[in-house]
């Protein structure tokens, strides 16, 4: 039975979509069958982050509302076998997808994939609720920015239905120069939020380069610091014990 993991944040632009793509790629490269599900209705961009720009014709609302099958809506990555995308609608047609419809969709997803990463939109609105309502675990992505850390804490309060060990924190865009002064803030965030840290991702320009080239990060720059961070997190999500990345 597969696991569905919601990737969320309070503040926008913290790196949820990049994280979903990077960790999804890493899981697929380690032999897992992975579905990346874009929950950002209207502002979808997970296809770009995966280098699958505009390949999908059908979206998760088509599957959840019975207009097509799951298999016919997902797109498999041509360079990364085992990595699939189910995209979000550009706009809502008719009734929005309900949490029950999403739960039914995820029940089917769990039978066919080892992992499903749900890329939530920023904030605590409908997309957040859809992504988290039926997920098994959640990852809160924050940057080192104090307002992002505070929003992450608010987000955690909304996620109290996830039990022990089901809620994780990722600190993204960590810079070596800031690390010493950051330690207190990160520790503070972990303490206040009561969340175990599942990884830190360094600030890394290769992310933007691979995005511009339309090539998945883990293929374009497999030795880049962010690629290592995503691989380590993918290993931890599978139960592996990997030390935290040293930020150079
Ligand atoms: N570790 C990183 N190093 C450098 N740039 C990064 C890193 N993580 C994300 N970015 C950049 O930050 C921007 C926002 O990232 P991304 O789209 O993944 O965030 P998001 O949380 O999904 O945003 P939104 O809330 O709008 O959905 C992108 O330009 C991305 O390339
Ligand atoms: Mg996003």
């Amino acid at each position: 039975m597969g696991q569905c993991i919601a990737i969320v944040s309070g503040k926008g632009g913290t790196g949820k979509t990049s994280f979903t793509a990077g960790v999804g790629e890493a899981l697929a490269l380690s032999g897992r069958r992975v579905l990346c599900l874009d929950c950002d209705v209207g502002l979808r961009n997970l296809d770009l982050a995966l280098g699958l720009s505009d390949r999908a014709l059908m979206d998760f609302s088509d599957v959840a509302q019975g207009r097509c099958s799951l298999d016919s809506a997902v797109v498999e990555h041509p360079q990364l076998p085992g990595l699939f995308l189910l995209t979000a609608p550009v706009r809502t047609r008719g009734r929005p997808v309900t949490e029950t419809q999403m739960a039914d969709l995820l029940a089917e997803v769990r039978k066919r994939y080892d992992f499903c990463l749900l890329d939530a939109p920023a904030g605590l609105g409908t997309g957040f609720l859809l992504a988290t309502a039926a997920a098994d675990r959640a990852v809160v992505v924050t940057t080192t920015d104090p307002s992002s850390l505070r929003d992450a804490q608010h987000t955690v309060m909304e996620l109290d239905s996830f039990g022990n060990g089901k809620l994780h924190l990722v600190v993204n865009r960590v810079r070596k120069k800031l690390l010493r002064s950051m330690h207190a803030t990160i520790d503070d965030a972990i303490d206040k939020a009561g969340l175990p840290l599942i990884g830190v991702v360094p600030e890394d320009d290769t992310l933007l380069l691979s995005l511009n080239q339309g090539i998945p990060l883990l293929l374009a720059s497999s030795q880049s610091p962010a690629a290592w961070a995503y691989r380590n997190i993918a290993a931890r999500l599978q139960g592996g014990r990997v030390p935290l990345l040293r930020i150079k």
Side-chain angles (χ1 to χ4, degrees):
M1 207 57 159
Q3 287 189 42
C4 297
I5 309 176
I7 316 301
V8 301
S9 73
K11 198 171 157 59
T14 58
K16 297 175 292 300
T17 301
S18 312
F19 177 92
T20 305
V23 172
E25 290 160 23
L27 286 168
L29 283 166
S30 68
R32 300 305 182 119
R33 215 174 131 81
V34 185
L35 180 65
C36 292
L37 203 168
D38 196 337
C39 295
D40 205 341
V41 175
L43 293 173
R44 68 182 191 195
N45 58 2
L46 184 56
D47 55 336
L48 286 178
L50 288 167
L52 284 173
S53 174
D54 288 328
R55 280 178 188 250
L57 295 176
M58 308 305 270
D59 57 64
F60 78 77
S61 74
D62 293 318
V63 186
Q65 297 178 327
R67 288 186 289 276
C68 71
S69 68
L70 177 60
D71 287 344
S72 66
V74 298
V75 175
E76 186 167 14
H77 203 292
Q79 284 111 34
L80 282 168
L83 182 64
F84 296 79
L85 168 71
L86 179 55
T87 198
V90 180
R91 68 189 75 81
T92 312
R93 293 173 299 247
R95 287 174 182 275
V97 172
T98 64
E99 288 175 23
T100 314
Q101 288 170 333
M102 192 63 157
D104 292 345
L105 167 60
L106 294 191
E108 200 184 337
V109 164
R110 280 187 197 92
K111 290 185 206 150
R112 297 179 196 209
Y113 296 89
D114 299 313
F115 285 94
C116 170
L117 304 178
L118 299 116
D119 179 21
L124 304 174
T126 327
F128 167 84
L129 294 174
L130 264 194
T132 54
D136 306 299
R137 293 159 88 173
V139 172
V140 180
V141 181
T142 177
T143 63
T144 53
D145 165 15
S147 68
S148 172
L149 284 164
R150 181 190 289 163
D151 287 356
Q153 286 161 13
H154 285 153
T155 308
V156 171
M157 287 180 221
E158 298 294 317
L159 294 171
D160 55 3
S161 56
F162 289 89
N164 249 354
K166 303 285 182 196
L167 201 51
H168 314 275
L169 185 72
V170 166
V171 183
N172 187 25
R173 308 195 76 158
V174 175
R175 278 179 286 162
K176 170 87 174 175
K177 244 201 284 182
L178 281 179
L179 207 58
R180 199 183 288 265
S181 60
M182 270 305 305
H183 257 303
T185 332
I186 295 179
D187 287 348
D188 212 35
I190 296 169
D191 287 351
K192 278 205 191 119
L195 281 196
L197 186 67
I198 199 165
V200 286
V201 182
E203 174 74 26
D204 187 345
D205 289 343
T206 55
L207 233 81
L208 198 58
L209 286 175
S210 69
L211 192 65
N212 285 337
Q213 293 171 325
I215 304 174
L217 177 77
L218 272 80
L219 295 183
S221 318
S222 67
Q223 300 307 310
S224 66
W228 273 105
Y230 292 140
R231 262 195 300 272
N232 287 351
I233 294 167
R236 290 185 200 114
L237 285 172
Q238 296 175 86
R241 292 176 72 87
V242 187
L244 276 185
L245 193 75
R246 285 175 62 117
I247 308 282
K248 296 204 184 95

